[in-house]
Amino acid sequence: MTNISASAPAPSSLTAGLLRLRSLLESVPYSALAIPLRLAVATVFWNSGMTKLASWDTTLQLFADEYRVPLLPPELAAYMASSIELTTPVLLVLGLLTRPAAFVLLGMTTVIEIFVYPQAWPTHIQWAAMLLILLCRGPGRFSLDHLIWNRTARHASGASKPA
């Protein structure tokens, strides 16, 4: 007979391994995580915008018959949605005006969830989660926002020093 318990790792070594793994995962910089967040959300909205452009007549018909956003004429809602879906993804990919872009897309996601497809909340909550992280934490170091903020901070700190 073999002793099964002898081949199993000791709880303390398992715990140590899990702690090392946790430490390794927690050491991944936010900037590395922000890139796929920005790209994922940008892709969703860019693809939607491109679909709208592919057949503008169909888009107008969808806004008139299916989407029916309250308080806005269908044509205006279609132009607004398309404009948002084609500009904000570019901003997210570049990491330029990331927080305002995330805020706008979060608002658009809310409108879609409440007025257009309330049954699609599992998808919308995923979009919202990604957008909330970008809104609260920003685009990370690999972005134009970071570059602009660093230059602005250096300029401001250099300007406040006596000559």
Side-chain angles (χ1 to χ4, degrees):
M1 268 182 113
T2 60
N3 187 348
I4 295 174
S5 63
S7 65
S12 61
S13 66
L14 177 62
T15 302
L18 290 173
L19 288 172
R20 280 193 304 277
L21 178 60
R22 179 182 172 191
S23 178
L24 177 67
L25 291 172
E26 288 179 353
S27 71
V28 175
Y30 171 74
S31 292
L33 303 173
I35 294 170
L37 279 174
R38 290 175 13 217
L39 295 176
V41 144
T43 300
V44 167
F45 287 94
W46 177 261
N47 288 343
S48 180
M50 293 304 289
T51 300
K52 286 176 177 61
L53 285 184
S55 176
W56 190 248
D57 290 336
T58 302
T59 297
L60 292 175
Q61 198 64 42
L62 276 171
F63 274 86
D65 298 336
E66 187 174 335
Y67 298 166
R68 290 183 258 144
V69 178
L71 305 176
L72 292 177
E75 190 170 295
L76 177 60
Y79 277 109
M80 287 176 64
S82 299
S83 297
I84 290 169
E85 290 175 339
L86 294 171
T87 56
T88 54
V90 174
L91 295 173
L92 290 177
V93 168
L94 295 173
L96 178 63
L97 300 171
T98 304
R99 285 183 164 110
F103 183 75
V104 167
L105 288 174
L106 194 55
M108 185 171 184
T109 300
T110 302
V111 168
I112 294 167
E113 172 57 29
I114 293 170
F115 298 111
V116 182
Y117 294 123
Q119 71 282 8
W121 66 267
T123 298
H124 299 151
I125 202 163
Q126 291 173 1
W127 299 350
M130 291 186 287
L131 290 165
L132 282 168
I133 292 169
L134 292 172
L135 179 65
C136 295
R137 296 288 308 273
R141 296 179 65 107
F142 308 113
S143 66
L144 291 176
D145 284 345
H146 183 76
L147 180 68
I148 292 167
W149 278 105
N150 275 354
R151 287 184 183 227
T152 303
R154 276 194 301 243
H155 185 276
S157 66
S160 63
K161 293 180 182 177

